[in-house]
Amino acid sequence: MSDPSHQSEMFDFANRYVEEEAARDPLFATYIGVAGYDDRINDFSMDGARESLEAARGGLSGLDEIAVVDDADAVAHAVMTERLAAMRELLEGFEIVTTVSVINSPIGNVRQVFELMSAGSADDAQVIRRRLDAVEAAMSSWREGLEEAADAGH
């Protein structure tokens, strides 16, 4: 996560948020190298989107309470605020749920994550197999999310 020599309230908050986000978004966890989630795939349903939206809102609220004590904190605070605000806007506008794109959508993200996974051992192969087994349910959750968003006029 962060430099262990700089442990402020801001960096503790950021580390906790990243760990929580990794649990909500296993693809993100793999992309940034957080271990323990490589056999899972995201919930792409509207319920998953609502959970992510609440997390982004909660993260922004939490940031409002953080005391910024130095330049490193100021940069971390500004970056997290910008990223969480952008995520909140994308979720509130249903962009994340309804975007169908080759570059950035559940289909492409699921395909790409396998390219980042270690495949050098029998244990790695089992992790890949478990993640592959989760693809059908993940795509079903995305379809359900698309249908729910369409029914709501998005």
Side-chain angles (χ1 to χ4, degrees):
M1 296 318 129
S2 65
D3 175 4
S5 67
H6 185 86
Q7 285 302 310
S8 65
E9 180 184 9
M10 179 64 230
F11 276 71
D12 289 342
F13 177 85
N15 286 336
R16 279 191 314 275
Y17 191 88
V18 167
E19 285 294 333
E20 292 167 3
E21 185 64 17
R24 273 189 302 279
D25 187 340
L27 301 181
F28 167 75
T30 299
Y31 292 144
I32 67 166
V34 174
Y37 304 98
D38 285 341
D39 61 346
R40 303 176 200 162
I41 299 183
N42 303 31
D43 174 2
F44 296 114
S45 70
M46 287 298 291
D47 287 341
R50 284 187 276 274
E51 183 179 341
S52 293
L53 177 56
E54 288 309 308
R57 288 175 176 160
L60 287 166
S61 293
L63 283 168
D64 288 343
E65 299 172 16
I66 300 288
V68 174
V69 297
D70 59 19
D71 289 344
D73 278 2
V75 170
H77 192 278
V79 169
M80 279 196 75
T81 299
E82 188 277 331
R83 291 289 73 211
L84 290 174
M87 180 60 68
R88 181 193 61 208
E89 290 174 22
L90 289 169
L91 287 160
E92 287 175 344
F94 295 89
E95 288 295 317
I96 289 181
V97 177
T98 60
T99 297
V100 179
S101 164
V102 174
I103 295 171
N104 187 24
S105 71
I107 293 170
N109 294 340
V110 168
R111 182 198 58 78
Q112 289 173 339
V113 79
F114 288 99
E115 296 173 12
L116 300 175
M117 296 177 70
S118 178
S121 72
D123 288 342
D124 293 340
Q126 289 304 311
V127 172
I128 291 169
R129 185 191 60 74
R130 288 193 303 272
R131 185 169 256 174
L132 281 168
D133 288 344
V135 169
E136 184 176 356
M139 293 299 99
S140 291
S141 75
W142 185 40
R143 179 183 176 136
E144 292 165 9
L146 287 170
E147 290 171 349
E148 185 175 336
D151 290 346
H154 301 286

mmCIF file of all heavy atoms in Angstrom, residues 99-112 142:
data_model
loop_
_atom_site.group_PDB
_atom_site.id
_atom_site.type_symbol
_atom_site.label_atom_id
_atom_site.label_comp_id
_atom_site.label_asym_id
_atom_site.label_seq_id
_atom_site.Cartn_x
_atom_site.Cartn_y
_atom_site.Cartn_z
ATOM 1 N N THR A 99 -22.349 0.701 -19.165
ATOM 2 C CA THR A 99 -21.371 0.841 -20.249
ATOM 3 C C THR A 99 -21.031 -0.524 -20.835
ATOM 4 O O THR A 99 -20.651 -1.440 -20.121
ATOM 5 C CB THR A 99 -20.089 1.529 -19.741
ATOM 6 O OG1 THR A 99 -20.431 2.844 -19.308
ATOM 7 C CG2 THR A 99 -19.042 1.612 -20.833
ATOM 8 N N VAL A 100 -21.208 -0.635 -22.129
ATOM 9 C CA VAL A 100 -20.821 -1.840 -22.863
ATOM 10 C C VAL A 100 -19.741 -1.379 -23.838
ATOM 11 O O VAL A 100 -20.018 -0.653 -24.782
ATOM 12 C CB VAL A 100 -22.012 -2.466 -23.618
ATOM 13 C CG1 VAL A 100 -21.563 -3.695 -24.377
ATOM 14 C CG2 VAL A 100 -23.136 -2.791 -22.657
ATOM 15 N N SER A 101 -18.506 -1.804 -23.571
ATOM 16 C CA SER A 101 -17.369 -1.320 -24.337
ATOM 17 C C SER A 101 -16.302 -2.400 -24.406
ATOM 18 O O SER A 101 -16.132 -3.183 -23.472
ATOM 19 C CB SER A 101 -16.798 -0.076 -23.641
ATOM 20 O OG SER A 101 -15.518 0.239 -24.098
ATOM 21 N N VAL A 102 -15.572 -2.420 -25.473
ATOM 22 C CA VAL A 102 -14.453 -3.348 -25.602
ATOM 23 C C VAL A 102 -13.338 -2.946 -24.637
ATOM 24 O O VAL A 102 -12.645 -3.790 -24.073
ATOM 25 C CB VAL A 102 -13.923 -3.353 -27.056
ATOM 26 C CG1 VAL A 102 -12.677 -4.191 -27.176
ATOM 27 C CG2 VAL A 102 -14.997 -3.823 -28.010
ATOM 28 N N ILE A 103 -13.171 -1.659 -24.427
ATOM 29 C CA ILE A 103 -12.059 -1.160 -23.617
ATOM 30 C C ILE A 103 -12.338 -1.273 -22.123
ATOM 31 O O ILE A 103 -11.478 -1.694 -21.361
ATOM 32 C CB ILE A 103 -11.739 0.300 -23.998
ATOM 33 C CG1 ILE A 103 -11.248 0.339 -25.438
ATOM 34 C CG2 ILE A 103 -10.711 0.894 -23.044
ATOM 35 C CD1 ILE A 103 -11.107 1.722 -25.997
ATOM 36 N N ASN A 104 -13.526 -0.884 -21.678
ATOM 37 C CA ASN A 104 -13.795 -0.873 -20.246
ATOM 38 C C ASN A 104 -15.235 -1.262 -19.970
ATOM 39 O O ASN A 104 -16.120 -0.420 -19.974
ATOM 40 C CB ASN A 104 -13.484 0.496 -19.647
ATOM 41 C CG ASN A 104 -13.591 0.490 -18.141
ATOM 42 O OD1 ASN A 104 -13.455 -0.552 -17.507
ATOM 43 N ND2 ASN A 104 -13.833 1.644 -17.561
ATOM 44 N N SER A 105 -15.436 -2.532 -19.747
ATOM 45 C CA SER A 105 -16.723 -3.061 -19.317
ATOM 46 C C SER A 105 -16.446 -4.404 -18.662
ATOM 47 O O SER A 105 -15.325 -4.921 -18.758
ATOM 48 C CB SER A 105 -17.691 -3.210 -20.502
ATOM 49 O OG SER A 105 -17.285 -4.266 -21.341
ATOM 50 N N PRO A 106 -17.417 -4.986 -17.992
ATOM 51 C CA PRO A 106 -17.155 -6.268 -17.344
ATOM 52 C C PRO A 106 -16.563 -7.333 -18.268
ATOM 53 O O PRO A 106 -15.663 -8.073 -17.855
ATOM 54 C CB PRO A 106 -18.528 -6.667 -16.813
ATOM 55 C CG PRO A 106 -19.158 -5.357 -16.469
ATOM 56 C CD PRO A 106 -18.729 -4.451 -17.608
ATOM 57 N N ILE A 107 -17.012 -7.385 -19.501
ATOM 58 C CA ILE A 107 -16.491 -8.414 -20.412
ATOM 59 C C ILE A 107 -14.981 -8.242 -20.615
ATOM 60 O O ILE A 107 -14.210 -9.183 -20.441
ATOM 61 C CB ILE A 107 -17.228 -8.383 -21.773
ATOM 62 C CG1 ILE A 107 -18.674 -8.797 -21.592
ATOM 63 C CG2 ILE A 107 -16.521 -9.264 -22.792
ATOM 64 C CD1 ILE A 107 -19.532 -8.579 -22.816
ATOM 65 N N GLY A 108 -14.572 -7.062 -20.957
ATOM 66 C CA GLY A 108 -13.150 -6.809 -21.185
ATOM 67 C C GLY A 108 -12.329 -6.913 -19.912
ATOM 68 O O GLY A 108 -11.210 -7.446 -19.925
ATOM 69 N N ASN A 109 -12.869 -6.413 -18.811
ATOM 70 C CA ASN A 109 -12.127 -6.456 -17.547
ATOM 71 C C ASN A 109 -11.925 -7.886 -17.063
ATOM 72 O O ASN A 109 -10.851 -8.229 -16.563
ATOM 73 C CB ASN A 109 -12.834 -5.616 -16.493
ATOM 74 C CG ASN A 109 -12.837 -4.146 -16.841
ATOM 75 O OD1 ASN A 109 -12.034 -3.673 -17.640
ATOM 76 N ND2 ASN A 109 -13.755 -3.405 -16.253
ATOM 77 N N VAL A 110 -12.947 -8.712 -17.207
ATOM 78 C CA VAL A 110 -12.819 -10.113 -16.804
ATOM 79 C C VAL A 110 -11.796 -10.810 -17.698
ATOM 80 O O VAL A 110 -10.929 -11.547 -17.220
ATOM 81 C CB VAL A 110 -14.185 -10.833 -16.829
ATOM 82 C CG1 VAL A 110 -14.021 -12.338 -16.712
ATOM 83 C CG2 VAL A 110 -15.073 -10.301 -15.699
ATOM 84 N N ARG A 111 -11.866 -10.578 -18.986
ATOM 85 C CA ARG A 111 -10.897 -11.197 -19.893
ATOM 86 C C ARG A 111 -9.478 -10.764 -19.534
ATOM 87 O O ARG A 111 -8.567 -11.589 -19.424
ATOM 88 C CB ARG A 111 -11.201 -10.829 -21.344
ATOM 89 C CG ARG A 111 -10.236 -11.494 -22.337
ATOM 90 C CD ARG A 111 -10.242 -10.826 -23.705
ATOM 91 N NE ARG A 111 -9.905 -9.424 -23.687
ATOM 92 C CZ ARG A 111 -8.661 -8.934 -23.575
ATOM 93 N NH1 ARG A 111 -7.635 -9.726 -23.440
ATOM 94 N NH2 ARG A 111 -8.451 -7.630 -23.598
ATOM 95 N N GLN A 112 -9.272 -9.480 -19.319
ATOM 96 C CA GLN A 112 -7.933 -8.952 -19.069
ATOM 97 C C GLN A 112 -7.331 -9.443 -17.756
ATOM 98 O O GLN A 112 -6.120 -9.632 -17.671
ATOM 99 C CB GLN A 112 -7.959 -7.427 -19.051
ATOM 100 C CG GLN A 112 -8.167 -6.820 -20.411
ATOM 101 C CD GLN A 112 -8.356 -5.316 -20.333
ATOM 102 O OE1 GLN A 112 -8.710 -4.772 -19.298
ATOM 103 N NE2 GLN A 112 -8.106 -4.646 -21.446
ATOM 104 N N TRP A 142 -23.996 -9.108 -14.301
ATOM 105 C CA TRP A 142 -23.935 -7.927 -15.162
ATOM 106 C C TRP A 142 -25.214 -7.812 -15.983
ATOM 107 O O TRP A 142 -25.799 -6.734 -16.096
ATOM 108 C CB TRP A 142 -22.721 -7.986 -16.064
ATOM 109 C CG TRP A 142 -22.519 -6.752 -16.901
ATOM 110 C CD1 TRP A 142 -22.698 -5.448 -16.522
ATOM 111 C CD2 TRP A 142 -22.097 -6.704 -18.249
ATOM 112 N NE1 TRP A 142 -22.403 -4.600 -17.551
ATOM 113 C CE2 TRP A 142 -22.026 -5.350 -18.636
ATOM 114 C CE3 TRP A 142 -21.760 -7.684 -19.178
ATOM 115 C CZ2 TRP A 142 -21.636 -4.948 -19.902
ATOM 116 C CZ3 TRP A 142 -21.363 -7.272 -20.444
ATOM 117 C CH2 TRP A 142 -21.306 -5.914 -20.798
#
